[in-house]
């Protein structure tokens, strides 16, 4: 909010946005794969009773209260998303200050970097590096041992089944506000060919 209040007419604020459920699911996947399945990382996660079994190729995490408690903590890659940023207070500040600001789909980040490079670093192009892809070679295959069944499913399958209810079930959006305005912004943003939209157009 202070940034919007302090912005001049020459200031350009760029908000790179990702839909919250998509961001949260990606964050859960990252935390379980790169932190929970690594013993040294797991020690500081605050869930000492979480049952995790690993070998040279696989990591199996028990479904249950401890796993859900870990997700509720919203730490590391799961922390701080649109529910904490795009609040009613945020939208009120937009109306009061009308800053020179744009919303951008996070998938357009490379295009933004290229545009900035063109004006400020001629001859340079954005280098897109997929950090997740680099890590995959060193990662274990992650599975969830289902709480009420004697079987295991891949983390991807588990998240696909849980993604549309996990935020409600675990209260991950309990402090969210003005979600209707956020959804309208997302609809307007995705309707733009380049998925970039001025705040003035939204207001």
């Amino acid at each position: 909010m202070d940034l919007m209040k302090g912005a001049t007419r020459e200031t350009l604020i760029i908000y790179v946005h990702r839909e919250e459920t998509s961001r949260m699911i990606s964050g859960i996947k990252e935390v379980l794969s790169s932190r929970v399945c690594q013993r040294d990382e797991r020690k500081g996660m605050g869930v000492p009773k979480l049952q995790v079994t690993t070998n040279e190729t696989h990591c199996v995490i028990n479904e249950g209260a401890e796993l859900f408690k870990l997700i509720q903590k919203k730490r590391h890659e799961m922390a701080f998303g649109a529910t904490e940023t795009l609040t009613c207070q945020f939208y009120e500040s937009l109306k009061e200050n009308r800053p020179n600001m744009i919303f951008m789909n996070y998938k357009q980040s490379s295009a933004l970097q290229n545009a900035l490079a063109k004006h400020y670093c001629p001859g340079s192009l954005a280098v897109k590096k997929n950090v997740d892809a680099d890590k995959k070679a060193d990662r274990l295959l992650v599975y969830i041992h289902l709480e009420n069944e004697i079987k295991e499913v891949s983390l991807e399958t588990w998240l696909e089944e849980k993604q549309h209810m996990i935020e409600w079930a675990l209260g991950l959006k309990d402090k969210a506000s003005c979600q209707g305005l956020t959804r309208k912004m997302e609809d307007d943003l995705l309707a733009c060919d380049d998925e970039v939209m001025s705040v003035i157009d939204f207001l």
Side-chain angles (χ1 to χ4, degrees):
M1 312 319 169
D2 291 340
L3 180 59
M4 286 190 276
K5 288 181 181 179
T8 70
R9 290 184 177 274
E10 300 301 316
T11 303
L12 174 62
I13 302 172
I14 302 173
Y15 185 98
V16 181
H17 178 70
R18 183 172 185 175
E19 190 272 329
E20 178 59 15
T21 299
S22 170
R23 186 204 68 82
M24 176 57 68
I25 293 301
S26 177
I28 293 171
K29 182 178 179 181
E30 180 67 21
V31 167
L32 296 185
S33 299
S34 67
R35 296 183 185 276
V36 170
C37 286
Q38 304 299 322
R39 180 175 296 179
D40 292 340
E41 291 276 356
R42 188 164 66 246
K43 291 179 181 178
M45 299 300 290
V47 281
K49 295 181 180 180
L50 179 63
Q51 295 184 355
V52 182
T53 304
T54 62
N55 59 29
E56 292 182 356
T57 59
H58 290 67
C59 172
V60 180
I61 304 169
N62 276 26
E63 183 184 50
E66 290 298 299
L67 174 56
F68 296 128
K69 185 189 299 182
L70 170 67
I71 295 172
Q72 282 180 311
K73 288 177 179 292
K74 294 179 68 173
R75 297 171 67 180
H76 301 291
E77 289 83 0
M78 296 183 291
F80 204 76
T83 52
E84 288 80 23
T85 307
L86 302 180
T87 61
C88 290
Q89 186 179 3
F90 170 87
Y91 290 114
E92 282 300 315
S93 184
L94 275 186
K95 291 179 182 178
E96 290 176 3
N97 297 289
R98 292 178 67 85
N100 185 22
M101 176 176 175
I102 61 173
F103 288 110
M104 170 180 283
N105 188 332
Y106 79 102
K107 293 181 179 180
Q108 303 302 321
S109 296
S110 292
L112 170 62
Q113 291 176 9
N114 281 330
L116 292 174
K118 180 179 179 180
H119 289 281
Y120 299 104
C121 304
S124 300
L125 291 176
V127 177
K128 185 175 182 180
K129 185 173 178 63
N130 190 335
V131 177
D132 182 64
D134 292 343
K135 291 179 180 178
K136 282 183 179 178
D138 300 324
R139 284 187 177 174
L140 302 175
L141 297 174
V142 184
Y143 288 83
I144 304 296
H145 182 85
L146 300 181
E147 187 174 22
N148 298 316
E149 300 181 48
I150 308 176
K151 71 173 184 178
E152 298 162 359
V153 298
S154 69
L155 175 58
E156 289 77 10
T157 298
W158 188 78
L159 287 172
E160 185 176 346
E161 292 295 323
K162 300 289 185 183
Q163 64 180 331
H164 298 300
M165 59 169 283
I166 197 166
E167 291 170 307
W168 165 75
L170 300 183
L172 301 182
K173 287 186 175 179
D174 283 356
K175 296 182 180 180
S177 60
C178 288
Q179 288 192 93
L181 286 174
T182 297
R183 287 170 179 155
K184 181 181 184 305
M185 179 275 289
E186 291 170 341
D187 290 342
D188 292 348
L189 181 61
L190 293 177
C192 299
D193 291 338
D194 55 3
E195 298 183 337
V196 177
M197 177 181 69
S198 167
V199 162
I200 302 303
D201 296 333
F202 173 66
L203 295 176

